[in-house]
Amino acid sequence: MTRAVIAGSGSEIPPTRVSNAMLARVMDTSDEWIRERSGVEARHYVERGTGTSDLGVVAARRAIDHAGITPADIDLVVFATMTPDHFFPGAGALLQAKLGLREVPCFDIRQQCVGFLYGLQLADAQIRAGLARTVLLVGAEIHTGFMPWTATNWEYMLGRGDVPPTPEEFAWNTRFRHLTVLFGDAGAAVVVRATEEPRRGVVDSLLHTSGAEYDKLYVPGTGFKHRPYTDPEQFKRGDHIPVMDGRAVFKMATTSMIAASQEVLTRNEVRIDELSLVLMHQANKRINEYCQKALGIPDSKVLHNIERYGNTTAATIPLLWDEAARAGRVTAGDLVLLVAFGAGMNWGATLVRV
Ligand code: ACO
């Protein structure tokens, strides 16, 4: 039976590292609050003008090299992002052109923090159906476009300017602090290849969506429900910036990630001690600690990078995978559990045999 195996991975972290203390220059927050409530210590931001497809391209080149293939081998692209370069077309087509791929189909998917798991299931299904042999699956995000601060505030925050925010600007930035401090920019990619080897590849994917809860985390404006879809009034109200009910999301994330993990393990008759590694989406360290404890997973099997990068949405799981692979933590025969929850609301759990 043909299965889909992760054959290589790559990632790209933008150069500008921003600490919690730097964010506190433009809004009412503190290193202590951010660390305690979320686990984030720093995040990386792109420079103005960089697009999500650019981060994806660098990550993809590294994944292609790591897999020992060439761009010409790729016969399908799946690009997961909630922050594409343009409203349309999606970032997949742009990446295809920048990488010089053949005119292969490119799917653009938007399941936010669960984008990678949805993309992996799609890649696996395409491979099992015989429609593709080598899939490039990318997860990348540039959250900085959501940040509400002005160009002058940016310079001050980065230590490149000496004009502090006005009291009005400081208050405006503070309005979104529960959200903005959590996110960072990053890109990551994997090459998924067909294999006929038994006992390898994607073992099982469990995916769920509950659209009924979409308004717990969403962008209220700049959509085609509005006419025109973007206008100065929406910007004045801040409708282009996500709205998040943090406590509700926290609760749903813990419940769903625990339930999905238990379900996928039970239906595949896998015990926790048979897992080599558990890679959880990095939205909040406290969410993951809660899930880890409830599932009884030892620290040695859980990797985290939220302290260094914050929440990188669709990039998070492939980024963790890439870090694990390059640190020698993902080796042939290992059984890895991937778990994520995010806006939509979407969640899922996937079992992969390396
Ligand atoms: N700095 C300082 N104080 C802050 C900040 C900040 N950055 N943000 C909020 N506060 C204040 C609040 O105003 C509030 O003050 P008050 O008590 O005077 O009213 C206080 O801190 C507590 O606020 P809460 O929102 O109750 O804090 P909580 O402990 O719930 O933490 C957080 C907030 C970190 C957002 C948490 O709820 C969380 O992580 N939720 C889940 C996020 C998530 O998983 N998102 C999904 C993935 S993202 C995606 O799919 C795109």
Side-chain angles (χ1 to χ4, degrees), residues 14-50:
T16 308
R17 180 184 180 276
V18 174
S19 66
N20 295 338
M22 289 162 78
L23 291 184
R25 293 177 189 157
V26 294
M27 67 180 107
D28 183 10
T29 191
S30 66
D31 179 49
E32 192 192 5
W33 192 96
I34 302 171
R35 271 176 205 255
E36 268 183 20
R37 301 289 179 127
S38 71
V40 182
E41 295 172 18
R43 73 287 295 143
H44 289 246
Y45 290 157
V46 295
E47 293 294 326
R48 196 179 291 271
T50 301

Side-chain angles (χ1 to χ4, degrees), residues 143-206:
H143 294 105
T144 36
F146 283 134
M147 302 307 168
W149 42 85
T150 64
T152 313
N153 291 174
W154 265 104
E155 293 304 294
Y156 190 72
M157 188 261 291
L158 294 172
R160 298 172 187 168
D162 51 16
V163 182
T166 64
E168 293 73 26
E169 287 167 350
F170 198 81
W172 173 257
N173 300 343
T174 299
R175 183 181 141 193
F176 305 101
R177 64 182 176 175
H178 63 294
L179 187 90
T180 49
V181 301
L182 302 176
F183 292 92
D185 302 336
V190 297
V191 171
V192 186
R193 300 207 83 178
T195 182
E196 272 71 40
E197 287 176 63
R199 285 181 49 78
R200 282 197 75 199
V202 176
V203 176
D204 195 8
S205 288
L206 181 88

